[in-house]
Amino acid sequence: MLDKVKNVIVVLSGKGGVGKSTVSTQLALALRATGHKVGLLDIDLCGPSVPYLLGLEGSDIYQCEDGWVPIYTDESKTLAVMSIGFLLKNRNDPVIWRGPKKTMMIRQFLTDVKWEDMDYLIIDTPPGTSDEHITVMECMREVPCNGAIIVTTPQGVALDDVRKEITFCKKTGIKLLGIVENMSGFVCPHCTECTNIFSSNGGAELARLAQVPHLGTLPIDPRVGVLSGSTASVLNELPDSSTAQIMRNIVQHLDALTAVPTPAQV
Amino acid sequence: MQAPPPEHCPGVESEQAGLVSACAGCPNQSICSDPSKKLEDPGKALVAAAMKDVKHKLLILSGKGGVGKSTVTTLLTRYLARSYPDNNFGVLDIDICGPSQPRLLGALGENVHQSGSGWSPVGIDDNVCLMSIGFLLGSVDDAVIWRGPKKNGMIRQFLSEVDWGNLDLLLLDTPPGTSDEHLSVVSYLRDDNAPESLHAIIVTTPQEVALLDVRKEINFCKKQRIPILGVIENMSSFRCGHCGNSSEIFPAKTGGAAAMCIEMDVPLLGSLPLDPLVTRSCDAGEDITAMRNETTEALATICSKIMSSL
């Protein structure tokens, strides 16, 4: 399982809609932009978002002798993507499965997909602490998993669930690489006043309480939203934005941690 | 290890179970095709007995997480309870891994008591009561790390062993997705003799990445034969407290909920603008019915639409 993958990073959050998939895709794209070979696996079976976010909807998975071939975003084959979205005939089809079937599917994604040589595999997860998460954690005992990045928004109702996810990581023995606070402020396009719609600083507070590194605070930036549907990285498109700055920090943090030599900047 | 079902499995509940060509070779074929073995879950009768005085059940669903299912449930409950003081309302939080209702309804730290007729739900107001797994956890940090069957058992207990009493409407707040929790609650509550007792409301936000999952949820309801009362679009716009101009935080590049409702042939109940004051009050568990702004006006309209269609 995942023999050719050097590092595995799981992106988690107890809460839904906090930006796990957006952070996962932008992190994968940022790692690629800094010269790494990256894989992105979407294990949200009931609500896969990665195909849409990368503009890959409608791509078909092919089978080869060694298993399923993931979707490559371009000729360079530096970003490989796998999601249940590629296996559905219609984008509106629901996947109405109970736990055991979801477990089988995730095991297949990890064992039967032909993950080539790659520096990082990013795993995007659904919200909660249930079948999908237990399965991934069980599989992670057999492969070199570096740890988890937790995504949260700053409001109390999200933090409640994220605290449960941190407990889950501690109980299952997965290392917490850090917390990313997303959607922390919205800059009004009319008057440039920044409003903290979902209050502020919750992620930083939580990181302090849980004694986990705080990896950064991402604002609500509509310019980043516009990038969804393409494989453009914020690092190249919006190099001066705070989102790009934070993604660069996370990449550096990961490279230092995983001791993968950073290739020459592209 | 369990063998995966055959590719064209008709489903164990189907009339064709065990009989169609796809079933040939399936290890469960003999179980599926034996008519005497089609036992109904004994929990269903227990649930029906416990819920006999609950007139209507309303599922608050969304394929997507974080769109405001729990907040909308809270806002609706508060408003309905205030506008219809003679009716009784209950809230059941079936989000087992991430319960939010205790905080939003201002009941953090409350306890559930056992009585002769079962668990007593926590009273929120004169005519509102609440049950959530949050009340059974020792601390906010406690994680519920359960696979499907255990979640199913918990939901069955919530439906059959809670002393709901006489309720006019039970609102059920759900987790995102179309999986164990949803299948369990629907199988326990759907009554083919009284199909009008179970309805669904779908909550969404305007951006395509949310609508994508919400369409799946609407198709889930159609497949499970649950009538959809309508769709509520949450966080539709944001009014800046500084300059007063509205802007779209989650741009509706594909027409938002309105376009999706036409495409999926479901009614749109209304749109709720994003208001930092409402968000903050909800986080603190305060009652928002005294507030007057665009969000509460929209809520009043939605509530009257809901009550008139039940």
Side-chain angles (χ1 to χ4, degrees), chain A residues 95-147:
Chain A
V95 174
I96 310 174
W97 288 356
R98 286 193 180 267
K101 241 178 135 172
K102 293 198 284 193
T103 301
M104 290 295 297
M105 190 78 229
I106 292 168
R107 284 198 158 268
Q108 258 186 301
F109 277 160
L110 290 166
T111 53
D112 297 351
V113 172
K114 198 169 167 278
W115 296 108
E116 295 278 7
D117 278 327
M118 52 184 62
D119 300 319
Y120 287 99
L121 177 68
I122 312 285
I123 302 183
D124 182 24
T125 62
T129 50
S130 193
D131 290 282
E132 294 92 334
H133 312 81
I134 300 172
T135 307
V136 160
M137 292 312 156
E138 281 173 359
C139 294
M140 286 305 120
R141 298 214 179 104
E142 303 158 30
V143 294
C145 175
N146 297 85

Side-chain angles (χ1 to χ4, degrees), chain A residues 14-18 21 44 46-49 52-53 57 88 90-104 107 127-131 134-135 138 154-158 160-161 163-165 167-168 171-172 183 186 188-191 193 195-199 220 222 225-226 228, chain B residues 1-2 4-5 64-66 70 95 97-100 103-104 108 137 139-149 151-152 176-180 183-184 187 208-209 212-213 215-217 219-220 223-224 235 238 240-243 245-251 253 263-264 274 276 279-280 283:
Chain A
K15 185 77 186 158
V18 295
S21 300
D44 189 341
C46 294
S49 306
Y52 169 78
L53 289 175
E57 279 184 305
L88 301 177
N90 181 326
R91 72 201 289 260
N92 298 343
D93 280 351
V95 174
I96 310 174
W97 288 356
R98 286 193 180 267
K101 241 178 135 172
K102 293 198 284 193
T103 301
M104 290 295 297
R107 284 198 158 268
T129 50
S130 193
D131 290 282
I134 300 172
T135 307
E138 281 173 359
Q155 77 268 44
V157 70
D160 285 351
D161 293 353
R163 286 167 72 175
K164 295 185 198 308
E165 200 75 27
T167 309
F168 171 82
K171 279 197 175 174
T172 50
M183 305 192 201
F186 177 70
C188 174
H190 304 282
C191 66
E193 172 89 359
T195 312
N196 292 314
I197 300 180
F198 302 111
S199 70
I220 299 176
V226 170
S228 68
Chain B
M1 182 61 77
Q2 191 178 343
K64 184 76 187 158
S70 301
D95 191 340
C97 295
S100 304
R103 171 185 283 271
L104 295 175
L108 276 180
L137 302 176
S139 122
V140 201
D141 289 311
D142 281 0
V144 181
I145 308 172
W146 288 357
R147 287 189 180 270
K151 292 195 283 192
N152 184 32
T178 49
S179 189
D180 288 286
L183 285 168
S184 299
S187 70
E208 179 59 25
V209 70
L212 192 63
D213 295 349
R215 288 194 198 94
K216 291 180 200 290
E217 197 76 26
N219 281 330
F220 168 82
K223 281 196 173 177
Q224 297 286 327
M235 313 188 198
F238 168 71
C240 176
H242 186 244
C243 67
N245 285 312
S246 280
S247 43
E248 288 188 325
I249 290 189
F250 302 111
K253 281 196 278 185
E263 178 196 331
M264 301 297 291
L274 190 52
T279 326
R280 217 151 292 155
D283 248 2

Side-chain angles (χ1 to χ4, degrees), chain B residues 9 32-33 40 44 68 79 91 118 120 127 193 243 265 280 290 300:
Chain B
C9 174
C32 278
S33 59
E40 196 165 66
K44 197 163 177 184
Y79 246 80
V91 180
S120 302
N127 54 346
N193 300 320
C243 67
D265 191 25
R280 217 151 292 155

Side-chain angles (χ1 to χ4, degrees), chain A residues 28-46:
Chain A
L29 292 168
L31 283 166
R32 176 170 83 151
T34 49
H36 294 294
K37 286 191 81 175
V38 190
L40 177 56
L41 170 62
D42 179 7
I43 62 161
D44 189 341
L45 303 179
C46 294

